[in-house]
Amino acid sequence: MILLLVIMYAISLLLIMLGSIWCMNVFAKKYIGEKHLVLEEVTNGEVPEKWSRQYQMKIKNLEAKGNTKKASRIEKTAQKSYSKKLQRLVRYIQKTNLVESEETRSILLSDLEKTRRQWRNQLPNEE
C-alpha cells in the first residue's frame, strides 16, 4: 500500500513538473517571443500590426460613416500609444539579458531611435 502511494506521489510530481515546464514555455513564447517579433517590425520602421490593428479598424469604421473628426482623434491617440509602446520597448532592450552582446544592444537602441525620429516626422503628416 505504501509503495503504491509513493509511486502515485512520484507520478503526480512528474506530471506537475511537466505541466509547469509546458506552461513556462507557452508564457515565454507569448511574452518574450512576441516582444522580439514586434522589435523586428519596429526596427524596420514599421508600426507593428499587433499595435495598429484595433486603431485601424476603428478609423476605417469611422471614415466609412463619414466621421473624420473622430477618426483623426483616434489616429492621434494611436500615435501616442505607439510612442509609449516604443518607449517601453527601448526600456526592455536596455534591461534585458536576452540580447547577444552590448554591441547588439547599442545597434538595436540606435535603430529604435531612428524609428522614433522617423515616426515623429511621418505619422503627424499623414493626417
Side-chain angles (χ1 to χ4, degrees), residues 1 4 9 23 25 33 49 51-53 56 59-61 77 79 81 84 91-92 94 101 104 124:
M1 185 70 173
L4 183 63
Y9 175 77
C23 285
N25 285 334
E49 193 268 335
W51 292 0
S52 65
R53 184 181 321 132
Q56 294 304 320
I59 290 169
K60 281 183 184 178
N61 289 338
T77 302
Q79 292 168 5
S81 172
K84 286 179 186 176
R91 281 193 302 253
Y92 170 75
Q94 290 171 339
S101 66
T104 304

Side-chain angles (χ1 to χ4, degrees), residues 6-102:
V6 169
I7 291 172
M8 286 177 56
Y9 175 77
I11 290 172
S12 298
L13 189 59
L14 178 69
L15 290 174
I16 289 171
M17 287 174 43
L18 290 174
S20 297
I21 291 169
W22 179 81
C23 285
M24 291 305 294
N25 285 334
V26 168
F27 288 131
K29 189 179 292 183
K30 177 162 177 44
Y31 293 109
I32 296 170
E34 284 182 6
K35 199 169 280 197
H36 285 255
L37 289 174
V38 164
L39 177 64
E40 185 177 335
E41 288 181 71
V42 170
T43 54
N44 291 331
E46 304 168 8
V47 176
E49 193 268 335
K50 182 179 179 185
W51 292 0
S52 65
R53 184 181 321 132
Q54 71 178 5
Y55 293 112
Q56 294 304 320
M57 287 174 38
K58 287 179 184 179
I59 290 169
K60 281 183 184 178
N61 289 338
L62 289 169
E63 287 176 346
K65 293 177 183 177
N67 194 344
T68 57
K69 272 189 174 182
K70 195 166 186 179
S72 177
R73 280 199 310 256
I74 289 178
E75 192 170 345
K76 288 178 185 177
T77 302
Q79 292 168 5
K80 288 179 185 177
S81 172
Y82 303 155
S83 293
K84 286 179 186 176
K85 289 179 180 184
L86 180 60
Q87 184 57 37
R88 282 189 222 132
L89 199 56
V90 167
R91 281 193 302 253
Y92 170 75
I93 293 301
Q94 290 171 339
K95 294 178 183 179
T96 188
N97 294 328
L98 299 175
V99 176
E100 187 177 332
S101 66
E102 287 305 313

Side-chain angles (χ1 to χ4, degrees), residues 111-126:
D111 287 347
L112 291 173
E113 184 57 35
K114 184 170 41 171
T115 299
R116 179 183 301 166
R117 284 192 306 268
Q118 178 184 352
W119 287 2
R120 276 190 200 143
N121 294 334
Q122 287 181 351
L123 290 177
N125 295 332
E126 292 178 356

